[in-house]
Amino acid sequence: ARSRTVGELLAPTSPFDKKCGRENWTVAFAPDGSYLAWSQGHRIVKLVPWAQCLNNFLLHGTKNGANAAGTRLPRQSSEGSQKNKPCEHVIDCGDIVWSLAFGSSVPEKQSRCVNIEWHRFKFGQDQLLLATGLNNGRIKIWDVYTGKLLLNLMDHTEVVRDLTFAPDGSLILVSASRDKTLRVWDLKDDGNMMKVLRGHPNWVYGCAFSPDSSILCSVGASKAVFLWDMDKYCMLRKLEGHHNDVVACEFSPDGALLATASYDTRVYVWDPHIGVILREFGHLFPPPTPIFAGGANDRWVRSVCFSHDGLHVASLADDKMVRFWRIDEEYPVQVAPLNNGLCCTFSTDGSVLAAGQDGSLYFWATPSQVSSLQHLCRMAIRRVMPTSQVKNLPIPGKVVEFLCYQI
């Protein structure tokens, strides 16, 4: 089935713009659904109120129509009553932007630092931050509501390829870089760098927190997929199975699954707790043998993300297609065309997928499906229970398999 187009945001173009300078490597939604940010190419990041975007899409329509989507999409920011009314910002970051991440604070989450007598910044509950990772290795932290620069973090020596905030509101930020390291920053301690995670043999392409913030996944060149314990800052395990560089990763909403995307033309869905591959979504048929998996075959997968319902995964590949997969089916349930796509992510409520192409953004309605009661129960259980505990429950084997996403 063809995915329904919801709308598009086109980046302004100038006569002197070169195509190679318009790559947008990253797009992100604020945790509360209030803002959307994306890199427009060069040094520019655009911050737009998401509700305003949706209203514009519904007012002006799109080529394929957004008729049915209008009734449910705007709910996303209905509870977002910030003190400052959301407004657009265009931020010049001073260098090419490779990564973005939104972070919001929970006041009772204390800083992990020992000396907490004085801090330059007092991040409150109404604070919304945007972290930008740059080509020169710097990370700049911005106030989303004002567009002002707050912090400049300068420890990486190469491109900051990805950024992720811990979902627990602690304002712990992790950065992944081409300098082969991950760095952990505490923004409640004025951006103090707490830890350097080493172990990647080559470039680090991406990183993602589990929903409970206890585990970090990092992926990179040389087939690397690593899991880290974020309480002890040590490596838990390496996941082996990909045949080429791994460039993107994301946990499912209940933390029971991990999706990774690779240049070997595959998306793998893992059980991160035991390191087993549960699903394989192939983008080239027949799949390339390991010896050829490293070649340029126009099927490199660039990005992968999990939907809000935990039932769907979206992937974006070099074959000019966006695909929506169900985690229990072998073939895509919906597809959409996109040239030169580099990044994709679901909106906060999961109703829309945003994908970047040449500095612009395109939006599709995601597959709509009412989750079964069994799946909702499975997600509730898996949010609090790792695979090892599930397998020790005194319940029938088929139920254990279902809870472990094996059937």
Side-chain angles (χ1 to χ4, degrees):
R2 183 80 170 262
S3 296
R4 185 178 67 251
T5 302
V6 173
E8 57 189 31
L9 293 174
L10 302 179
T13 56
S14 305
F16 56 82
D17 272 340
K18 302 292 184 185
K19 183 182 174 186
C20 62
R22 301 298 304 186
E23 286 105 344
N24 49 342
W25 290 98
T26 179
V27 56
F29 286 90
D32 62 356
S34 59
Y35 271 93
L36 164 71
W38 82 99
S39 61
Q40 290 192 337
H42 307 302
R43 317 184 312 186
I44 304 302
V45 169
K46 186 82 175 279
L47 271 167
V48 180
W50 178 230
Q52 178 185 313
C53 273
L54 288 172
N55 289 336
N56 289 341
F57 294 159
L58 297 173
L59 282 173
H60 303 297
T62 59
K63 295 172 188 174
N64 295 344
N67 43 17
T71 54
R72 63 187 180 88
L73 296 183
R75 293 182 193 169
Q76 180 155 317
S77 40
S78 58
E79 69 268 354
S81 53
Q82 291 96 9
K83 291 179 181 176
N84 307 326
K85 186 179 178 182
C87 57
E88 257 183 43
H89 294 292
V90 176
I91 298 173
D92 186 342
C93 295
D95 205 346
I96 296 170
V97 180
W98 284 84
S99 49
L100 293 172
F102 281 99
S104 55
S105 173
V106 175
E108 54 268 23
K109 276 283 181 183
Q110 295 297 320
S111 167
R112 293 194 187 185
C113 68
V114 178
N115 178 20
I116 54 173
E117 293 177 8
W118 180 87
H119 283 134
R120 182 180 165 199
F121 296 105
K122 303 289 183 186
F123 291 121
Q125 196 161 10
D126 59 346
Q127 192 92 28
L128 185 59
L129 306 177
L130 178 71
T132 56
L134 307 181
N135 193 65
N136 59 11
R138 295 191 178 190
I139 302 167
K140 292 187 176 180
I141 311 296
W142 309 83
D143 185 317
V144 170
Y145 300 131
T146 64
K148 291 181 179 177
L149 178 65
L150 300 177
L151 287 169
N152 201 348
L153 312 178
M154 299 185 289
D155 279 277
H156 280 297
T157 57
E158 291 281 349
V159 171
V160 179
R161 192 62 184 80
D162 199 15
L163 294 166
T164 183
F165 276 97
D168 61 4
S170 62
L171 287 184
I172 298 296
L173 173 69
V174 175
S175 54
S177 171
R178 287 185 181 173
D179 64 13
K180 308 178 187 178
T181 68
L182 296 136
R183 294 175 191 258
V184 186
W185 315 82
D186 185 353
L187 296 196
K188 289 197 173 183
D189 187 20
D190 293 342
N192 177 50
M193 191 183 71
M194 303 159 56
K195 203 75 180 174
V196 181
L197 304 179
R198 304 181 191 275
H200 277 268
N202 215 313
W203 291 0
V204 191
Y205 278 106
C207 54
F209 269 103
S210 62
D212 64 0
S213 303
S214 66
I215 298 173
L216 180 83
C217 175
S218 63
V219 297
S222 308
K223 315 172 192 177
V225 183
F226 295 167
L227 295 178
W228 307 83
D229 183 326
M230 293 307 287
D231 291 323
K232 300 175 182 175
Y233 300 116
C234 63
M235 190 182 297
L236 284 172
R237 64 176 57 90
K238 299 178 183 180
L239 304 183
E240 296 183 354
H242 279 296
H243 303 298
N244 199 352
D245 294 358
V246 189
V247 295
C249 60
E250 188 162 275
F251 283 90
S252 61
D254 60 3
L257 303 174
L258 170 70
T260 57
S262 170
Y263 288 166
D264 66 9
T265 75
R266 299 169 175 90
V267 167
Y268 284 151
V269 178
W270 309 76
D271 183 329
H273 302 283
I274 57 176
V276 172
I277 298 171
L278 300 176
R279 306 279 185 277
E280 177 184 326
F281 299 137
H283 296 67
L284 180 63
F285 301 98
T289 57
I291 194 167
F292 292 113
N297 47 46
D298 299 326
R299 297 294 190 279
W300 283 3
V301 189
R302 295 284 181 175
S303 187
V304 67
C305 51
F306 253 104
S307 67
H308 185 69
D309 60 11
L311 281 172
H312 294 91
V313 172
S315 66
L316 192 157
D318 280 351
D319 62 354
K320 306 177 183 179
M321 296 291 285
V322 177
R323 292 172 173 84
F324 295 91
W325 312 78
R326 262 189 67 104
I327 59 170
D328 54 0
E329 293 185 16
E330 188 177 351
Y331 299 103
V333 293
Q334 287 186 17
V335 295
L338 184 72
N339 292 339
N340 304 324
L342 293 173
C343 60
C344 66
T345 190
F346 283 98
S347 59
T348 308
D349 71 348
S351 60
V352 171
L353 181 80
Q357 172 203 341
D358 296 339
S360 300
L361 280 188
Y362 298 85
F363 302 88
W364 296 274
T366 58
S368 55
Q369 190 162 1
V370 177
S371 299
S372 67
L373 183 58
Q374 291 99 319
H375 176 65
L376 293 174
C377 290
R378 172 168 62 183
M379 289 185 68
I381 292 169
R382 291 312 307 268
R383 279 184 190 276
V384 297
M385 198 171 284
T387 304
S388 56
Q389 291 183 21
V390 170
K391 290 192 171 182
N392 289 330
L393 292 174
I395 53 178
K398 283 291 183 186
V399 179
V400 171
E401 288 181 19
F402 178 76
L403 290 176
C404 294
Y405 288 90
Q406 291 171 359
I407 54 172

